[in-house]
Amino acid sequence: MKNTTTTTIALALLAAVCLAQTPPTIQWQRSLGGSDRDYAGSIQQTSDGGFIVAGYSLSNDGDVSGHHGTPGDSTDYWIVKLDSTGEIDWQRSLGGSYDDLACSVQQTSDGGFIVAGYSYSNDGDVSGHHGTPGDSADYWVVKLNSAGSIEWQKSLGGSDWDYAYSIQQTTDGGFIVAGWSESNDGDVSGNHGYADYWVVKLDSTGEIDWQKCLGGSDWDEAYSVQQTSDTGFIVAGYSRSNDDDVSGNHGSADYWVVKLDSAGNIEWQRSLGGSDEDYARSIQQTSDSGFIVAGRSESNDGDVSGNHGSDDYWVVKLNSAGNIVWQTSLGGSINDEPYSIHQITDGGYIVAGWSNSNDGDVSGHHGLPGYYNDYWVVKLNSMGNLVWQKCLGGTSYEQSYSIQQTADGGFIVAGLSDSNDGDVSGNHGFYDYWVVKLSPDTSVGIVENALPEQFAINVFPNPFNSSVAITAPAGAEIEIYDITGSRVWGLGSSFSPTQTNGADEAGSPYTLNPIPCAGGGGRAFIWTPDDNTPSGVYLVRLTGTNASTKVIYMK
């Protein structure tokens, strides 16, 4: 029954494909900053429909106030909360008298925020630095409340250089943070030589649960970490090693993808690339329990094919065991480098970074190719085929570092710009944070619920504030995802209509109670989020297909 249902659904879905390839338009854009240099590295939509942005700033004028160091000489974390139209709700400069650079931000389940990056300071907001201030860096993790005030901060590291690039809240209320470390003292142990991936699990107050150095005798740097549905972790970056934890290196730097269990032990690792330089920047678990990873590649051999010249976006789809399902090289004849990838609600992928090119896959570049970059945003379908691409920028320099799909089906992208023409206006001087809101995507690969009635997903009421009834085809499997693409609940065929509760195997706090089905042999369940579940848009999807519908939870 299950196989027949899945096949029929798939055939129905194929009939619903819409191949329009019109890229979204700019709904609004904001240049944020002061008269010096301001670099945005991470953005996320918040539960109130606004946005949180993190990066670093050398300014202390314009939109920026409260700088701790010497403006123009040292950087502070600069955290900016925007409303849904891009206007500033509040901003915070965080740091000390030396350089402090934020790389990753996420809203937490209590409505506050967690920020990670690295700091050379040991004064101002920063305490507990392990090395020599001004000379060596520590991971610096800061927990903010919903108004941007510091609840706690932690300096993590040793006497050498420690750089955090990615943080995420975990299902137990703690945090996972990843980057790289050259230390082998203080908080750090087990270094294999030079820089290692350094993965640290924190509890809810920032105390270390465990830490792991991963790598070999050469250089290994992690840039992206995410908790997986089995409560383990996936980490990506690059490695030049081919010993100790690392095997299979193809030459020079390879993507190095490592799957960890919940205690940080290696389950598997994969070196991906060719004989030239390959650097992974972003990884995410996909709805089929595999992984999507993006970065830049100069190779055109080994695992890599289709390179257009110099660096290309190189996007690789892995299965749950880390084996390559497909790979694609995207770009033009000059340099193209991605920093952020996410699976989106139609099962495809959105990728953002920057491009120097104006040929090959790239068109619409605003500056002088080879000299100035544009943001380059690429939409791929579920098989890695290019659906649309869009260059954003002006005649000077733009570089994007973070993208996310928004609740309305559009996208939010952030990075830096020193243009004040083309798509860009309002520049304050030098580089500004440049935040761009793109309109809803009209080129979705699957029309939502474009299925025969017997295969439709239905939710009622929608929006809801307590419980929602979900009905689906008999034999189907359902999954629920939040706006970041993280699975919050999965219903497999092992759950029968006589059971009283369903529970995600990852232990997420969601309660599903079955209700009688009204004919047709379908399945019906009631989803009752607990008190810690944030308001927002969620996606209900039939497992193994792109059939989906959105549901809005409003506390």
Side-chain angles (χ1 to χ4, degrees), residues 371-384:
Y371 290 91
Y372 296 106
N373 303 325
D374 265 10
Y375 282 17
W376 193 40
V377 180
V378 180
K379 164 73 183 295
L380 304 177
N381 67 14
S382 61
M383 295 305 296

Side-chain angles (χ1 to χ4, degrees), residues 55 61 69 76 90-91 110 123 153 211 243 247 320 331 339 352 384 402 405 412 414 442 502 509 511 533 551:
D61 55 10
D76 267 9
W90 52 256
Q91 61 85 37
D110 62 0
D123 55 7
Q153 62 84 37
Q211 63 85 36
D243 53 10
S247 62
S320 59
Y339 279 85
S402 183
Q405 190 171 34
I412 194 75
T442 61
T511 303
T533 306
V551 60

